[in-house]
Amino acid sequence: TNAQHFREGIKILLKGGPLLEELYQEGVLGGDFLTAELRQDLAAMLPEMTTDPGDDVWFKLAATVDRIVHRTGAKQAKRLIEAAYTMEDEMFKVAAYLKAKATGMTSKEAAAHTRKWFPYYDQIGTSSAIRALRRGPMPFFSFQREALRILANAAKERPASLAFALAAPVIL
């Protein structure tokens, strides 16, 4: 059934609709590295403005970027680059969400399940120590932190599957 979920997920990502809105509302989409970094940088540059994705500032920012891109004639290039950058991660997240819902989970449960097994960068934190690590000796700190979180979930909830996955390269 995974192929069916991938096909449906790609269709949703490309065509939009109510389910795409649900994916953003439930937090399945929008926690990617690019969005999280932009949100943190905006909070540092414009502390008086709120940076919650539901706030009006995000819509204004997106509209401003779209106006600039439209005036320069780079609209198609912008869309292509954005889609290529985010599609790979989003496709897997959407398919996992759809599969979880197909097993009978509610939207909230499916979103929590998806966030448990995929990297999300919107909850990492913005302390000065974390920023210093990311901008200094550990530029991939956010990724490493998320990889360890997912690995810990796998060790706790699926130890046999994790052992097989770690042994597979040696076996091959």
Side-chain angles (χ1 to χ4, degrees), residues 1-10 95:
T1 62
N2 288 342
Q4 171 192 349
H5 298 301
F6 282 114
R7 277 193 306 275
E8 188 179 347
I10 291 169

Side-chain angles (χ1 to χ4, degrees), residues 2-172:
N2 288 342
Q4 171 192 349
H5 298 301
F6 282 114
R7 277 193 306 275
E8 188 179 347
I10 291 169
K11 184 178 169 185
I12 290 165
L13 288 169
L14 293 175
K15 296 189 179 196
L19 196 48
L20 184 63
E21 290 178 32
E22 177 182 316
L23 290 161
Y24 277 103
Q25 288 172 353
E26 295 297 338
V28 174
L29 299 178
D32 58 279
F33 183 77
L34 184 62
T35 305
E37 286 291 308
L38 176 61
R39 208 175 280 146
Q40 289 174 6
D41 288 345
L42 275 175
M45 291 186 307
L46 307 167
E48 72 279 359
M49 295 179 74
T50 58
T51 55
D52 181 38
D55 289 338
D56 194 36
V57 67
W58 286 100
F59 296 112
K60 289 178 183 173
L61 216 69
T64 302
V65 169
D66 282 341
R67 277 195 304 276
I68 292 167
V69 167
H70 184 69
R71 286 184 189 146
T72 63
K75 194 173 191 177
Q76 289 302 102
K78 174 188 175 270
R79 284 187 181 155
L80 181 64
I81 291 167
E82 287 174 345
Y85 185 80
T86 60
M87 179 63 88
E88 184 180 4
D89 282 345
E90 289 180 348
M91 176 183 63
F92 289 104
K93 291 173 182 178
V94 173
Y97 178 80
L98 294 173
K99 185 174 181 178
K101 282 191 76 172
T103 65
M105 290 186 189
T106 66
S107 296
K108 295 249 184 266
E109 292 168 338
H113 173 78
T114 303
R115 288 185 74 88
K116 177 188 277 186
W117 297 107
F118 288 92
Y120 283 89
Y121 301 95
D122 56 347
Q123 306 275 324
I124 288 183
T126 58
S127 72
S128 57
I130 290 173
R131 279 197 310 272
L133 283 172
R134 284 196 338 246
R135 293 198 168 101
M138 297 179 70
F140 300 107
F141 174 76
S142 301
F143 173 78
Q144 293 166 340
R145 183 179 183 276
E146 283 298 279
L148 288 174
R149 178 187 62 81
I150 294 166
L151 188 64
N153 287 336
K156 184 171 43 174
E157 295 187 26
R158 298 181 181 170
S161 296
L162 175 63
F164 179 75
L166 294 175
V170 175
I171 293 168
L172 292 174

